Amino acid sequence: MIPRVSLQSTLSIEVEQFLKRLEHTPFAGEIRADFASRLLASTDNSIYQIVPQAVLHPRTAEDVVQVFQLAAQPAFQSITFSPRGGGTGTNGQSLSSGIILDCSKYMRQILEVNLAEGWVRVQPGVVLDQLNTHLRADGVFFAPNLSPSSRATLGGMINTDACGKGSRIYGRTSDHILELTWVLTDGTVGSSSAISGEQLSQQKASPGRLGQIYHQVDESVTQHQELIAQQFPKMPRFLTGYNLAKVYGTRGFDLNRILAGSEGTLAVITEAKLKLTPIPHHKVMFVIHYGCFDDALNAAQSLLNHAPAAIETIDDTILELARQNEIYDAVKDFIGEARSINLVEFVSDDLATLQARADQLQQQIEQMSGQAGQPTGYYCTGDALEIQALWELRKRGVGLLGNRTGPRKPVAFVEDTAVPPAHLASYVQDFQALLDRYGLDYAMFGHVDVGCLHVRPALDLQAPQDESLIREISDQVVALVRQYGGVMWAEHGRGFRSEYTIEFFGETLYQELRKIKAVFDPDNRLNPGKIVTPLGTDDPVVSLESPMRGQFDRQVPEPWQSAYQVAFSCNGNGACFNTAPEQVMCPSYQGALDRIHSPKGRAMLLREWLRLLANSSSDSYLEQSAGNILVKLWHTLAKAAGRYDYSQEVYDGLHGCLSCKACATQCPIHVDIPSLKAQFLHRYYGRYLRSHRDYLMGHIETLAQWQAAWFPAVTNVLLQTSLVQALLRMAGIVDAPSISLPTVAASLAARDAATVDLDKPPHTEESHNSVVLLLDNFSCFYEAPLVLATYDLLTQLGFQVQVSPPPVSGKPLHVLGFLDRFESVAQQTRIYLEQLQSMELPIIGIEPSIVLTFRDEYAQWGQPLPVQLPQEFLLQHLERLPKADISTAYTLLGHCTERTLAPASQTQWQQIFAAAGLSLKLESVGCCGMAGLYGHEREHLDTSRSIYDLSWGLLLPNKRQERQHYLATGFSCRSQVQRFAGWRPQHPLQVLQATLCS
């Protein structure tokens, strides 16, 4: 039995008093001092882990002012603050032991769009993809293009002066800032934009901190113009952070060039006015194939002669990983057998100009193909969807690397170096030689058009000897980069690499940076230790050897890590923070916007749970049996009385999971939270009592069989009575479904349907027309019309259908963590399914969540069972489908588990409808919010509705005559629409049966 888990990290008295006082101010945001929230803010996409004292989620700019006005009081002078956006930083920029100011949860409003003047005003928590989706219909976009665009916030982009693909023509974030509003540590609000010399004089004469800031920045720049020109690199990917070289530009004096890239060390950004760029009318993409990575790199200079918008290279390591990933189906025809590729994109508003450039490049490739060191082939496309798929491959590079097997994983610490593009090939050869001397595996990809290379050496940071290589290799890379006239941090900021700042700026300019820090933040309270510390203090910058995740993880015994392996594989890339409503990843995070309720959050909770368990005793608690009922009762009562147990925080985080399995494929690392959740619940309920609801819901399949067999009509009547409704609410159950009448059994008997007889398989001459229709307990007992339509369709298409009664799949048992019972049920059902398999007939199941349970969860006991989804079977028999003579267009809203575990399933329906002469549109839609048991649990009803409203509620029609054209393959999905919209979508099988066989 697991023990009660206490914490080793508590709040300081000063922070505790500060948070209590903050509650009595006009601060309207969210105050989170629970350990789970603090733990979630302790990591980003870097190698570091630092637990903060608290997390604040301001709702407005005034909330930020309130925080700093209170913090300015003498009693709270030692408290520090660090702004945080999307948490995608690779160098720990937003990690701190103070208080985190997370603006991403509530300050995410697009405030104003002015198309006439070409700008947009946003709050700092607006996500890049969110903004560009909002702007797309107007033909404009915010140009800086980042790989983590689905979760990177504008505030975070400003603080790191971010850039990515296309920076050669679009520049950095700072090139698109028109005005910033910000707050200093004393609560002073500032606003900055490019100003004239006369306006600068007025600003310098302003009283207080604002005047001092303008005076100091102007002095630092004007007194050291020659040194700045000499010291700052002459290259496209410019040095980030306190950009002295760009303060004076064509528009005058621009303080925003100092704030952009400052990593939250100077002020907290509360609003930004940003320049918009017209979306190019035309694009062409080349995928140029090479026999090796060196050839792709060497080609970069000649490719630049054609003036493309972007050139991105991908090496053999990432391409090989892509071939093992679900993205491969979308790009396999474009990358072929290439060992390395260059993605070359041209954009223009003038089609003739674009075509001329593309033709020149095509001629060059064809002339040189086949020669040593030259391209081995290419693919050219102007199709928007194909271009999008190829850039998605490039975006997934980091995530794909995390899937490498073994204890050594690619990690970011020398990840974004850059040199002048003309020196890139030579620099890379020396870089490769450096890493080869250590015998390290690594992958390389990046923006070769601007000389920026992403390199992630594979290290096991749980091993102290590998951890020591962080310093050893970093020092050598700094020397190598300087040798080639480059920079250590061309794209992802400094963070815990700040100690190298002096080597690139020199002593004189380094002290000027410290003066600027001192005038903005004299007491070093904003993100202390990053970039520089204030002049006049002895505070050090952060160290490269700051606490790392590996130091925490290595405290967990290896057998425990193996049992929860995917939790330790999570690399923190944050792909699960995607809030796009059409994405199925991750519905609980989308519904709550609380990172505890994300795959990354849950993986972190579990890792810390295991660490705390390991540190609590040497006993192997995970291997011990559960306590008896009296012991469980005692612990349950103690928990109810308020006795703290960190296991409860883990439970609360996992309890919000819908078990939809989207993360199992949509996460680049395939962090399968539903499986981890089942393991945890199995252990958790070894200490605590389960609710009656768990036993009821866990055995719902058996209960449904019993109800339908003995008294279906009585069951339905009872479900509508006030007493039963009240009892269900007391048990925490809402909207229990009714048994279908007439029952499937009665209706099939009326059709004289054949039932599977394992002792009498069909004759050989009959078997090619015979199929097994494997019923499931949800379709069979709650949706009889669908089962009958399926039977009738298969029969009318000429198949001899043998109906199998529904076995108990155990899916609800697995979801709720009844693992012992699930294993027993699954083993019995597997034996039955293997007997069906021995008949050598196709086995077809209707409900995707059950079919995929047989192919996924059951795989741990042998090969996945060959139970087919209906569309997988019908696709093999398109010649049997008659042609419909109607022009009706249908729309399919896919089941999230089906879309993720069987990626081809949706297009298969489209092919089937096309073969039948019917039109089927595949709608991009997120999760419906039901997910089986989740939507029937009373405490999840509001979140279930919120998730539904994000996409399904917006897409489904209100007009009765249009509803019949919307289809859904999931029982849960159809039930959710019935519950919230009052009508039930059809299954595609029902449309095919009604249309083709009537």
Side-chain angles (χ1 to χ4, degrees):
M1 180 177 66
I2 60 171
R4 181 174 68 93
V5 183
S6 58
L7 293 179
Q8 300 161 349
S9 175
T10 57
L11 297 185
S12 71
I13 294 175
E14 188 177 22
V15 168
E16 194 170 357
Q17 291 298 318
F18 175 80
L19 298 180
K20 288 180 180 178
R21 289 277 300 276
L22 188 61
E23 291 177 353
H24 295 91
T25 71
F27 180 80
E30 193 174 338
I31 301 171
R32 300 290 291 267
D34 58 289
F35 185 67
S37 295
R38 295 163 57 203
L39 183 67
L40 262 292
S42 71
T43 65
D44 52 8
N45 195 18
S46 72
I47 60 179
Y48 297 100
Q49 181 166 344
I50 298 173
V51 179
Q53 286 283 297
V55 181
L56 301 179
H57 297 284
R59 294 179 186 270
T60 63
E62 181 57 31
D63 278 346
V64 178
V65 174
Q66 290 293 331
V67 168
F68 286 128
Q69 285 181 346
L70 177 61
Q73 296 183 11
F76 306 124
Q77 283 295 304
S78 66
I79 299 177
T80 63
F81 300 86
S82 293
R84 183 182 177 104
T88 61
T90 58
N91 297 296
Q93 292 96 317
S94 63
L95 304 185
S96 136
S97 59
I99 293 178
I100 301 297
L101 281 172
D102 187 340
C103 297
S104 68
K105 186 171 185 178
Y106 297 115
M107 297 182 68
R108 47 190 300 119
Q109 305 304 310
I110 300 170
L111 301 172
E112 183 181 3
V113 177
N114 189 317
L115 295 175
E117 297 182 12
W119 53 259
V120 60
R121 281 195 310 117
V122 298
Q123 292 180 316
V126 171
V127 170
L128 178 58
D129 278 355
Q130 171 196 354
L131 176 61
N132 282 334
T133 298
H134 182 83
L135 297 170
R136 186 177 298 129
D138 295 317
V140 294
F141 74 125
F142 185 63
N145 189 326
L146 312 184
S147 290
S149 59
S150 63
R151 61 267 192 203
T153 64
L154 273 298
M157 291 176 64
I158 293 167
N159 274 324
T160 54
D161 199 8
C163 58
K165 176 182 77 75
S167 66
R168 197 177 69 83
I169 62 173
Y170 293 124
R172 312 187 68 92
T173 296
S174 56
D175 296 314
H176 302 266
I177 296 174
L178 298 176
E179 184 176 340
L180 295 177
T181 303
W182 32 272
V183 182
L184 299 175
T185 53
D186 62 356
T188 299
V189 177
S191 179
S192 50
S193 58
I195 56 178
S196 66
E198 181 180 349
Q199 291 170 316
L200 174 61
S201 297
Q202 294 172 355
Q203 290 285 5
K204 288 164 64 175
S206 301
R209 294 271 293 280
L210 295 180
Q212 296 169 13
I213 286 170
Y214 280 93
H215 184 276
Q216 180 60 62
V217 172
D218 181 47
E219 182 180 275
S220 293
V221 172
T222 56
Q223 289 187 1
H224 299 90
Q225 291 182 22
E226 292 185 8
L227 184 58
I228 291 170
Q230 173 187 336
Q231 197 74 27
F232 277 58
K234 311 297 186 296
M235 52 186 291
R237 276 297 170 93
F238 204 65
L239 196 68
T240 59
Y242 300 15
N243 196 339
L244 301 176
K246 291 288 186 75
V247 169
Y248 278 97
T250 56
R251 296 189 299 132
F253 178 94
D254 192 354
L255 188 64
N256 293 331
R257 295 290 186 169
I258 296 293
L259 289 163
S262 64
E263 300 182 13
T265 62
L266 302 180
V268 175
I269 308 296
T270 57
E271 190 178 302
K273 181 179 177 182
L274 305 170
K275 181 173 64 176
L276 299 177
T277 302
I279 297 173
H281 287 99
H282 307 288
K283 293 182 180 181
V284 170
M285 167 85 85
F286 281 83
V287 189
I288 309 178
H289 305 171
Y290 299 90
C292 67
F293 182 59
D294 287 346
D295 291 346
L297 282 177
N298 289 326
Q301 277 302 110
S302 65
L303 294 174
L304 279 172
N305 295 331
H306 298 278
I311 309 173
E312 304 273 322
T313 191
I314 301 175
D315 76 353
D316 56 329
T317 300
I318 296 176
L319 287 184
E320 188 56 38
L321 290 169
R323 291 183 172 102
Q324 304 163 29
N325 188 271
E326 64 272 5
I327 195 175
Y328 183 58
D329 284 339
V331 299
K332 62 183 179 182
D333 294 335
F334 315 140
I335 62 177
E337 300 300 317
R339 300 297 299 163
S340 182
I341 60 174
N342 277 333
L343 301 177
V344 184
E345 184 177 67
F346 294 92
V347 301
S348 179
D349 288 331
D350 181 71
L351 183 59
T353 300
L354 182 75
Q355 194 61 54
R357 290 178 181 172
D359 289 345
Q360 291 173 359
L361 177 56
Q362 185 171 344
Q363 291 172 10
Q364 176 183 320
I365 295 171
E366 291 176 349
Q367 290 171 1
M368 304 179 74
S369 288
Q371 301 178 27
Q374 299 302 322
T376 60
Y378 74 97
Y379 181 81
C380 178
T381 180
D383 183 270
L385 292 178
E386 292 183 355
I387 293 173
Q388 181 181 352
L390 286 161
W391 283 130
E392 183 62 25
L393 168 66
R394 164 62 184 84
K395 283 187 172 187
R396 290 200 188 188
V398 171
L400 291 170
L401 288 173
N403 276 327
R404 300 188 70 174
T405 58
R408 279 185 162 179
K409 301 290 186 182
V411 292
F413 66 102
V414 288
E415 207 261 353
D416 57 328
T417 61
V419 298
H423 300 158
L424 182 62
S426 299
Y427 165 70
V428 169
Q429 290 177 352
D430 286 348
F431 202 156
Q432 290 173 322
L434 188 163
L435 297 176
D436 290 342
R437 287 197 296 271
Y438 288 92
L440 299 178
D441 290 330
Y442 51 87
M444 294 185 170
F445 58 99
H447 320 286
V448 293
D449 52 339
V450 290
C452 179
L453 190 70
H454 295 301
V455 184
R456 293 202 170 195
L459 297 173
D460 178 7
L461 294 185
Q462 293 192 41
Q465 62 270 27
D466 274 17
E467 183 184 316
S468 67
L469 293 180
I470 298 293
R471 163 67 64 184
E472 198 170 331
I473 292 173
S474 294
D475 286 348
Q476 294 181 66
V477 171
V478 167
L480 184 64
V481 168
R482 294 186 66 203
Q483 174 188 329
Y484 279 96
V487 294
M488 182 70 169
W489 40 70
E491 184 166 280
H492 294 161
R494 260 168 270 184
F496 285 92
R497 303 182 294 184
S498 293
E499 62 184 85
Y500 294 119
T501 299
I502 193 169
E503 297 196 36
F504 289 91
F505 280 85
E507 179 66 32
T508 299
L509 293 182
Y510 184 76
Q511 297 305 322
E512 293 302 315
L513 299 186
R514 295 190 69 195
K515 290 178 183 178
I516 291 172
K517 168 69 172 176
V519 74
F520 272 96
D521 180 25
D523 299 317
N524 199 24
R525 302 184 68 186
L526 278 178
N527 213 6
K530 309 293 172 56
I531 301 186
V532 294
T533 56
L535 190 65
T537 71
D538 296 327
D539 297 341
V541 294
V542 291
S543 170
L544 204 63
E545 289 88 358
S546 295
M548 300 181 191
R549 283 186 292 163
Q551 296 169 7
F552 292 81
D553 291 344
R554 72 172 65 128
Q555 299 173 39
V556 181
E558 193 282 328
W560 296 13
Q561 291 198 35
S562 296
Y564 292 82
Q565 181 181 4
V566 291
F568 290 86
S569 298
C570 176
N571 64 4
N573 71 77
C576 48
F577 299 154
N578 190 334
T579 59
E582 71 275 8
Q583 298 293 323
V584 293
M585 170 75 163
C586 155
S588 58
Y589 172 69
Q590 291 182 345
L593 289 182
D594 186 335
R595 289 179 180 170
I596 289 174
H597 296 290
S598 70
K600 176 184 175 180
R602 290 168 176 140
M604 285 202 65
L605 291 174
L606 282 165
R607 282 160 53 183
E608 181 66 8
W609 177 67
L610 292 167
R611 187 185 75 86
L612 292 173
L613 277 176
N615 289 338
S616 64
S617 173
S618 60
D619 292 336
S620 297
Y621 289 114
L622 295 191
E623 284 75 43
Q624 291 186 14
S625 62
N628 62 47
I629 191 167
L630 291 177
V631 173
K632 289 184 181 182
L633 176 60
W634 170 258
H635 291 311
T636 302
L637 292 173
K639 181 184 70 171
R643 191 182 189 197
Y644 179 80
D645 183 355
Y646 173 66
S647 296
Q648 185 61 38
E649 292 201 51
V650 183
Y651 173 87
D652 291 341
L654 289 168
H655 184 55
C657 172
L658 282 75
S659 295
C660 68
K661 301 285 282 191
C663 52
T665 57
Q666 299 304 291
C667 167
I669 316 299
H670 305 311
V671 177
D672 182 352
I673 292 298
S675 295
L676 293 173
K677 171 187 171 183
Q679 289 177 262
F680 170 79
L681 291 176
H682 176 66
R683 304 294 179 190
Y684 178 81
Y685 285 117
R687 179 179 180 84
Y688 298 111
L689 290 176
R690 284 184 177 272
S691 67
H692 296 305
R693 182 182 69 185
D694 275 12
Y695 291 100
L696 181 64
M697 300 289 274
H699 295 87
I700 190 66
E701 292 180 281
T702 303
L703 181 63
Q705 290 182 351
W706 181 61
Q707 291 172 327
W710 294 102
F711 42 86
V714 174
T715 295
N716 289 346
V717 171
L718 289 174
L719 282 174
Q720 302 307 314
T721 64
S722 300
L723 176 61
V724 171
Q725 289 286 320
L727 291 172
L728 289 173
R729 283 196 298 272
M730 288 175 60
I733 298 172
V734 294
D735 302 324
S738 299
I739 301 292
S740 287
L741 293 176
T743 64
V744 165
S747 299
L748 288 177
R751 286 167 168 78
D752 199 24
T755 303
V756 165
D757 186 344
L758 294 172
D759 296 325
K760 294 181 180 180
H763 298 297
T764 304
E765 60 272 16
E766 299 174 348
S767 62
H768 72 282
N769 271 333
S770 296
V771 298
V772 174
L773 178 58
L774 178 64
L775 302 185
D776 64 87
N777 288 291
F778 299 98
S779 302
C780 182
F781 300 123
Y782 300 123
E783 211 168 15
L786 171 58
V787 174
L788 300 175
T790 305
Y791 175 85
D792 291 343
L793 173 65
L794 293 172
T795 301
Q796 291 160 350
L797 291 180
F799 294 104
Q800 297 182 26
V801 182
Q802 299 194 43
V803 180
S804 167
V808 176
S809 71
K811 174 73 172 180
L813 292 168
H814 188 271
V815 168
L816 293 170
F818 287 99
L819 292 191
D820 291 338
R821 180 61 184 152
F822 171 70
E823 181 172 353
S824 175
V825 167
Q827 292 284 26
Q828 294 176 31
T829 299
R830 185 177 180 91
I831 291 171
Y832 173 70
L833 294 176
E834 287 172 345
Q835 291 174 329
L836 286 183
Q837 185 181 352
S838 68
M839 297 174 65
E840 299 184 353
L841 299 178
I843 306 172
I844 306 167
I846 300 174
E847 170 54 31
S849 64
I850 302 302
V851 171
L852 295 169
T853 294
F854 297 145
R855 286 162 37 171
D856 186 30
E857 280 87 355
Y858 279 36
Q860 61 184 298
W861 297 294
Q863 292 297 318
L865 293 160
V867 182
Q868 299 183 63
L869 294 165
Q871 63 268 41
E872 294 170 339
F873 175 76
L874 291 175
L875 194 64
Q876 304 168 45
H877 301 281
L878 296 180
E879 74 284 353
R880 295 193 182 217
L881 296 175
K883 284 279 187 180
D885 188 22
I886 60 172
S887 59
T888 305
Y890 294 93
T891 298
L892 177 64
L893 281 69
H895 182 276
C896 53
T897 305
E898 184 179 37
R899 287 171 57 192
T900 54
L901 293 185
S905 60
Q906 308 306 287
T907 55
Q908 288 168 345
W909 279 122
Q910 200 169 42
Q911 292 172 273
I912 292 164
F913 269 57
L918 299 170
S919 171
L920 183 67
K921 175 187 175 184
L922 302 180
E923 187 66 73
S924 295
V925 68
C927 179
C928 74
M930 175 63 84
L933 304 182
Y934 180 91
H936 292 294
E937 295 173 331
R938 187 177 61 186
E939 66 272 25
H940 291 142
L941 180 60
D942 290 343
T943 305
S944 178
R945 179 66 188 250
S946 296
I947 296 169
Y948 172 83
D949 288 341
L950 286 173
S951 57
W952 286 68
L954 293 175
L955 289 168
L956 291 172
N958 292 319
K959 295 180 179 179
R960 184 180 300 273
Q961 61 268 30
E962 296 177 5
R963 293 173 180 173
Q964 60 183 318
H965 303 147
Y966 280 77
L967 315 179
T969 55
F971 170 74
S972 289
C973 306
R974 295 188 296 274
S975 300
Q976 185 82 319
V977 176
Q978 178 77 57
R979 174 163 71 164
F980 291 140
W983 59 279
R984 197 173 191 87
Q986 295 186 90
H987 190 287
L989 290 169
Q990 291 173 297
V991 169
L992 292 173
Q993 193 276 327
T995 304
L996 303 181
C997 305
S998 57

